[in-house]
Amino acid sequence: MAKGRKMGMPGNMNNMLKQVQKMQKQMQQVQEDVEQKELEVTAGGGAITVKVNGKRELLDIEIKPEVVDPDDVEMLQDLIVAAVNEALREAEEMVSKEMGKVTGGMNIPGLF
């Protein structure tokens, strides 16, 4: 080993590690923030309204009474499925967009 050389990580590696730790902290904060956000989506011209959060949890479903037809339950079921799926898709998009601000658009597997 040459004289005057320090043991440990080279300067660039140390800086990179600090940047990764900073990004990790930012991602954790963004994750906590988006988990608190709520999205509301409607289907059937406003007949069905669903609310989800950034954790992709279904929080609420509102069904207008006039859309409840005992002779056409399938239509109601389809509207609910469509609204929930759209809300979950929008929640996923919101999370990806917010995380992308931290990661600079890098796709990090297993992040979300």
Side-chain angles (χ1 to χ4, degrees), residues 27 29-41 51-57 59 85-103 111-112:
M27 288 181 346
Q29 183 61 50
V30 168
Q31 182 177 352
E32 290 171 9
D33 291 346
V34 296
E35 286 178 353
Q36 300 303 314
K37 291 184 179 184
E38 295 180 0
L39 295 166
E40 194 172 276
V41 174
K51 188 182 294 186
V52 298
N53 63 20
K55 290 190 244 183
R56 297 168 206 87
E57 296 173 329
L59 302 175
N85 284 336
E86 178 62 19
L88 294 175
R89 188 195 64 72
E90 287 186 22
E92 182 68 34
E93 188 176 294
M94 176 192 64
V95 170
S96 293
K97 180 180 174 186
E98 293 298 316
M99 282 297 183
K101 291 177 183 177
V102 175
T103 64
L111 184 62
F112 252 81

Side-chain angles (χ1 to χ4, degrees), residues 11-27:
N12 282 346
M13 186 64 111
N14 197 18
N15 285 339
M16 189 164 50
L17 182 59
K18 286 180 183 179
Q19 288 176 331
V20 168
Q21 289 171 336
K22 181 181 176 184
M23 183 185 288
Q24 219 173 12
K25 188 175 181 179
Q26 289 174 326
M27 288 181 346

Side-chain angles (χ1 to χ4, degrees), residues 73-90:
V73 174
E74 287 182 13
M75 185 211 39
L76 180 58
Q77 292 168 336
D78 290 345
L79 288 173
I80 293 170
V81 169
V84 170
N85 284 336
E86 178 62 19
L88 294 175
R89 188 195 64 72
E90 287 186 22

Side-chain angles (χ1 to χ4, degrees), residues 62-76:
E62 290 182 24
I63 302 171
K64 290 195 174 179
E66 59 268 17
V67 77
V68 180
D69 180 356
D71 295 327
D72 194 3
V73 174
E74 287 182 13
M75 185 211 39
L76 180 58

